[in-house]
Amino acid sequence: MIVVVGVGADGMAGLSPTSRAELVRATVVYGSRRQLDLLDDSVTASRREWPSPMLPALRTLLDDADSDVHVVASGDPLLHGVGGSLIRIYGPDRVRVLPHVSSVTLACARMGWAVQDTEVISLVMGEPQTAVRRGGQAVVMSRDASTPSALARVLTDTGRGDSELTVLEQLGGPAERRRTATAREWAARTPGDVDDLNVVAVRYLPDERRFGVLPDDVYANDGQITKQPMRAITLAALAPRPGQTLWDVGAGSGSIAIEWCRSGTGCRAVAFERDEERRKRIADNALAFGVPVEVRSDAPEAFDSASPPDTIFVGGGLTQPGLLEACFERLPSGGRLVANAVTVESEALVAQWYSRHGGDLQRFSHYRGEALGGFTGWRPAMPVTQWVVTKP
């Protein structure tokens, strides 16, 4: 059995009787150097610091164990912590977790925020741009002392410089400290004495949150964009599920990839685009929304360098020789492919594939009301033929 004990910045003094008793009876305790140093002399176990990389050590914890193995972790070990990793490796029957009050709960208590209204974002392994939001509030878990300034810079660079940052250090311990500034102010005058043990409470400003499919003008684009009505239909056809990866082939502005990532927890995308300027624009759009989009060059040449897909959308380049074949080949069994065709040639190709592989074939058209002299008339958008298929 592996027993994981959460420890706060106040060390042994803040432990429950059960957690303290577990550490006192332990024969070996694993943890980071900082966590091990929080233990007092009542813990007589052999103390073993995690090596780097840490994951291989987790897989061998029980190899030579004659009794329970103990692990100390910060706060709640199941909140972006080692507890979740150990349960994934060994299963819940072989791992017992004794949580402490998490840094997120403590941060919300200091800020006066309801926990259920607060997003939790981890930058322990993630990049700062993944913590960009267009409104709301979040507790951002830091990798080290450099995280607050890195986050402040990326917020400032993406037009979120007015966001309010509160850096909370050594939460719950005798050296607890709180400092508040705007992202712009923090980026311009970064303190040099930030503690490695910190979280950042962020209120994102301006608040421009919108739910559902976004309007076209929020994306930087050169006209090569799946328009909002068709984007809504396409997202419904793609049917994203949590943790899935989309390939957006012929991505243009990256709007489909970004909407996919916004749609569910853990959704990621790879955008393939041959034009260099558009690739830069996709990256900028993804950064503005804080979503994980890998940007790759032309398809299918760049397919082998990308994360494997669960779903593929083809919005451009349909008539390129071999493109649909390459997409279908890399689609996993049970994976979904959605292709939108707007030209006669691409429509004919999609019809051929539909006749061979089945699926659903639909044609969509919509009209926009526009001024016609002193009246209003209907202006048609180009019709779109959409093929949706699930690979057997």
Side-chain angles (χ1 to χ4, degrees):
M1 174 71 73
I2 299 172
V3 182
V4 187
V5 179
V7 181
D10 52 353
M12 300 288 289
L15 293 181
S16 68
T18 301
S19 293
R20 175 181 286 275
E22 279 294 338
L23 291 175
V24 168
R25 78 174 185 87
T27 57
V28 58
V29 178
Y30 290 85
S32 70
R33 173 48 50 197
R34 182 181 57 78
Q35 291 153 359
L36 293 173
D37 286 344
L38 291 172
L39 306 181
D40 62 21
D41 292 340
S42 67
V43 180
T44 59
S46 172
R47 304 183 187 191
R48 300 181 184 177
E49 186 175 353
W50 292 123
S52 182
M54 180 178 170
L55 187 58
L58 297 185
R59 298 187 184 279
T60 61
L61 275 185
L62 294 179
D63 285 359
D64 302 313
D66 296 324
S67 59
D68 291 345
V69 171
H70 288 72
V71 173
V72 288
S74 292
D76 184 350
L78 291 176
L79 184 64
H80 294 287
V82 70
S85 300
L86 289 170
I87 289 173
R88 283 192 293 272
I89 294 170
Y90 294 101
D93 294 336
R94 303 178 72 188
V95 180
R96 182 187 180 202
V97 178
L98 300 174
H100 194 274
V101 178
S102 73
S103 58
V104 171
T105 298
L106 288 172
C108 287
R110 302 298 188 265
M111 299 298 297
W113 292 351
V115 177
Q116 72 271 12
D117 296 331
T118 305
E119 184 179 1
V120 180
I121 304 171
S122 176
L123 295 185
V124 175
M125 300 299 292
E127 296 301 319
Q129 58 264 32
T130 62
V132 175
R133 298 292 183 271
R134 300 180 75 86
Q137 63 194 38
V139 172
V140 180
M141 303 176 73
S142 295
R143 179 182 305 170
D144 53 34
S146 69
T147 300
S149 61
L151 176 59
R153 286 193 299 271
V154 75
L155 289 174
T156 302
D157 292 344
T158 55
R160 295 283 174 279
D162 290 335
S163 298
E164 297 171 358
L165 268 61
T166 299
V167 180
L168 300 150
E169 304 162 70
Q170 290 284 337
L171 271 170
E176 180 175 322
R177 179 166 57 179
R178 167 179 176 163
R179 288 181 277 191
T180 299
T182 66
R184 186 179 297 105
E185 292 167 343
W186 192 279
R189 295 185 298 276
T190 300
D193 59 346
V194 178
D195 194 274
D196 280 331
L197 185 62
N198 74 84
V199 299
V200 187
V202 187
R203 189 163 75 91
Y204 294 96
L205 296 172
D207 192 337
E208 298 173 332
R209 286 174 291 176
R210 299 190 190 187
F211 300 102
V213 175
L214 299 170
D216 299 339
D217 59 10
V218 304
Y219 295 105
N221 70 87
D222 59 0
Q224 192 73 15
I225 183 173
T226 302
K227 301 302 189 291
Q228 185 187 32
M230 197 61 215
R231 205 178 323 128
I233 291 170
T234 300
L235 261 291
L238 290 168
R241 301 185 66 184
Q244 289 190 329
T245 297
L246 171 76
W247 279 8
D248 183 357
V249 180
S253 65
S255 63
I256 292 291
I258 291 167
E259 299 278 12
W260 168 279
C261 293
R262 294 178 65 247
S263 67
T265 304
C267 287
R268 309 180 65 84
V270 184
F272 297 91
E273 173 55 54
R274 68 171 56 188
D275 184 87
E276 183 178 356
E277 187 63 29
R278 286 176 181 164
R279 288 199 298 272
K280 182 180 183 303
R281 194 174 289 119
I282 293 168
D284 290 342
N285 281 331
L287 176 60
F289 286 93
V291 294
V293 177
E294 299 176 30
V295 183
R296 295 287 183 269
S297 57
D298 200 13
E301 291 81 3
F303 280 176
D304 291 337
S305 67
S307 305
D310 298 291
T311 303
I312 298 178
F313 170 65
V314 185
L318 266 171
T319 56
Q320 180 181 339
L323 179 63
L324 265 180
E325 288 85 351
C327 289
F328 207 72
E329 177 186 340
R330 285 164 174 79
L331 196 67
S333 177
R336 181 183 294 254
L337 185 144
V338 177
N340 286 357
V342 294
T343 67
V344 172
E345 292 79 8
S346 59
E347 188 177 77
L349 180 64
V350 161
Q352 292 172 13
W353 277 76
Y354 169 69
S355 67
R356 295 202 302 266
H357 298 281
D360 294 313
L361 190 66
Q362 302 181 76
R363 200 164 194 247
F364 300 96
S365 61
H366 69 277
Y367 297 77
R368 180 187 297 274
E370 293 187 2
L372 184 63
F375 300 92
T376 301
W378 292 108
R379 184 174 297 278
M382 291 184 67
V384 177
T385 298
Q386 184 178 87
W387 177 48
V388 182
V389 66
T390 298
K391 186 174 179 179

